[in-house]
Amino acid sequence: MNLYEKYQKEIAPELQKEMGVKSVMAVPRIIKVVINVGLKEAKDDKKVLDFVSAQLAVITGQKAKVCHAKKSIAGFKLGKGQPIGMMVTLRGKRAFAFLEKLFAIVFPRVRDFNGVSLDSFDGCGNYNTGINEQIVFPEIDFGKIDRTRGLEITIVTDAKNDEKAKMLLVKLGMPFKK
């Protein structure tokens, strides 16, 4: 049973009892998972976009979107409209499949991993975390990467506060620090 089915059959009813809500529809859900990579070198080298796009497609199973600068910043030598990053938004079963892989395979492969921080909630029930190297994903072939890059992962829930979101993520298997 995958994480999506487990959420629907086991986790949501458990959370309903623990939170004391009348309907299972009032239980917090994962809305989307956003994977973001900042690419400062993309403004000079367009091949970087192709490399990172291919890596994100392999990791997530979905094509990445190029993010462009909204305004010019002279201090960064950045012009409006230049590419500065890439992102992928996962929803539904793909989001749950990614989270399952993240919790069970990727986090244990991170060097000196003791769990994710409890301080990374945003106050509205969403969680942000980062990974320093994309090579911890099993799909990435170490011989084919041009350089290691970090990525940011944002888990967006419909929970109204951080406590409810934490309860949801703990039930899903997120390895928080003790």
Side-chain angles (χ1 to χ4, degrees), residues 44-107:
D44 302 323
D45 186 8
K46 302 298 180 209
K47 287 186 234 170
V48 171
L49 293 172
D50 295 332
F51 280 124
V52 176
S53 178
Q55 290 174 1
L56 281 175
V58 168
I59 290 170
T60 62
Q62 194 168 303
K63 187 178 177 201
K65 173 188 171 228
V66 178
C67 299
H68 299 278
K70 293 181 181 173
K71 59 184 179 179
S72 298
I73 302 173
F76 295 137
K77 296 180 181 150
L78 182 68
K80 181 178 180 178
Q82 286 184 318
I84 55 170
M86 301 199 89
M87 67 179 280
V88 176
T89 302
L90 302 172
R91 298 176 193 273
K93 290 182 182 179
R94 281 190 178 168
F96 277 95
F98 179 80
L99 289 177
E100 187 172 20
K101 176 174 60 173
L102 183 71
F103 300 159
I105 299 169
V106 175
F107 281 149

Side-chain angles (χ1 to χ4, degrees), residues 1 4-16 171:
M1 181 179 348
Y4 183 74
E5 293 167 352
K6 186 176 179 184
Y7 171 79
Q8 290 183 324
K9 293 178 182 170
E10 297 173 14
I11 297 172
E14 281 180 35
L15 283 171
Q16 180 184 1
K171 291 282 186 191

Side-chain angles (χ1 to χ4, degrees), residues 95-158:
F96 277 95
F98 179 80
L99 289 177
E100 187 172 20
K101 176 174 60 173
L102 183 71
F103 300 159
I105 299 169
V106 175
F107 281 149
R109 291 178 73 171
V110 173
R111 190 178 329 132
D112 300 329
F113 182 72
N114 298 323
V116 293
S117 173
L118 286 166
D119 299 334
S120 296
F121 284 99
D122 68 351
C124 299
N126 305 315
Y127 188 81
N128 288 300
T129 188
I131 296 178
N132 292 335
E133 300 173 328
Q134 82 275 32
I135 57 175
V136 294
F137 285 91
E139 301 89 355
I140 298 293
D141 182 12
F142 188 73
K144 291 185 180 177
I145 62 168
D146 55 338
R147 65 180 278 239
T148 57
R149 291 186 178 81
L151 30 101
E152 177 194 333
I153 300 162
T154 303
I155 302 168
V156 180
T157 70
D158 65 353

